Amino acid sequence: MTRGARGARDAQPTTKQRLGNTSLPVAQFYWPGGFVEVRLPEGLELTIGRAASCDIVLEHPSVSRSHATLVTSPELRIADAGSANGTRVEGARLPPHQAAIIRSGMLVELGDVVFIPRTLEPGARLRRFGKLSHSRLREELDAMERVRIEEALEACHGNQSRAASLLGLPRRTFIARLERHGIGRPRTRQG
């Protein structure tokens, strides 16, 4: 369940401001069985997490109480706040407290919650809450994850521990994902 963005809500543009020629950035959050969009006005630093004190509250078990920080200007940036399940941008895990620039359409993962920044066309309305057929998104994420796992294994010559480290995953989680994707457990190449 998502309560939205308290800090962002207070700074929402008026209808007159929305009718201008500029597109407004929004954050789209997806999780199994749910979806929400939150407007991202410029000049804010928003906290994302499960805690009620966060600006964007995502009540999902894979999201930490204080999971990440999102800065909306001059460029859209996200930084992991030392969360348990990490923050990934386009599949690459962010080191804690190191910001990464994100652009419209990029895939950001906060635990198992998917965040995609988008631009909202002038005059368009936000969708606050809604059910989402999550199967297509899950299929796309699974396909992307499988490719990244296979690339990591290839780069590490089949060494699972190194491939897990390269992806920023604990080895046990990496092995569980190998099994989930039906990828055989390769052995380190000799010679």
Side-chain angles (χ1 to χ4, degrees):
M1 181 175 173
T2 303
R3 291 191 203 138
R6 184 175 48 257
R9 194 177 320 131
D10 296 339
Q12 297 278 330
T14 65
T15 303
K16 284 183 181 178
Q17 290 170 319
R18 272 199 318 259
L19 296 176
N21 291 329
T22 60
S23 298
L24 300 171
V26 296
Q28 296 177 324
F29 296 92
Y30 302 87
W31 62 92
F35 164 81
V36 69
E37 285 183 332
V38 178
R39 201 168 303 193
L40 301 174
E42 288 186 22
L44 294 180
E45 183 171 312
L46 304 170
T47 56
I48 303 171
R50 271 192 349 257
S53 60
C54 289
D55 298 308
I56 301 174
V57 178
L58 300 173
E59 292 181 12
H60 191 275
S62 68
V63 175
S64 295
R65 285 185 297 270
S66 178
H67 198 101
T69 302
L70 184 66
V71 177
T72 62
S73 64
E75 296 177 291
L76 196 57
R77 291 175 288 152
I78 192 160
D80 186 81
S83 65
N85 291 318
T87 301
R88 297 178 183 281
V89 176
E90 294 289 310
R93 188 173 181 141
L94 293 180
H97 310 289
Q98 183 176 336
I101 294 172
I102 54 176
R103 292 182 175 38
S104 182
M106 291 179 84
L107 184 71
V108 179
E109 297 169 82
L110 307 166
D112 292 333
V113 173
V114 175
F115 156 43
I116 302 174
R118 299 272 188 210
T119 54
L120 186 67
E121 294 306 315
R125 296 182 61 182
L126 287 178
R127 292 173 283 175
R128 288 288 178 197
F129 295 93
K131 291 287 183 184
L132 173 71
S133 171
H134 203 261
S135 61
R136 180 180 161 115
L137 179 61
R138 183 80 261 162
E139 288 171 9
E140 290 176 18
L141 291 173
D142 283 346
M144 180 187 294
E145 182 177 61
R146 182 184 175 91
V147 167
R148 296 280 165 87
I149 288 170
E150 289 172 340
E151 289 173 347
L153 282 168
E154 180 67 28
C156 296
H157 305 289
N159 185 306
Q160 296 166 24
S161 294
R162 287 184 186 156
S165 178
L166 181 65
L167 293 171
L169 295 172
R171 188 171 182 277
R172 287 185 183 191
T173 302
F174 181 77
I175 290 170
R177 295 204 179 154
L178 286 176
E179 292 170 0
R180 186 174 88 195
H181 293 295
I183 300 171
R185 292 188 54 198
R187 303 290 177 222
T188 304
R189 294 182 195 156
Q190 302 292 323

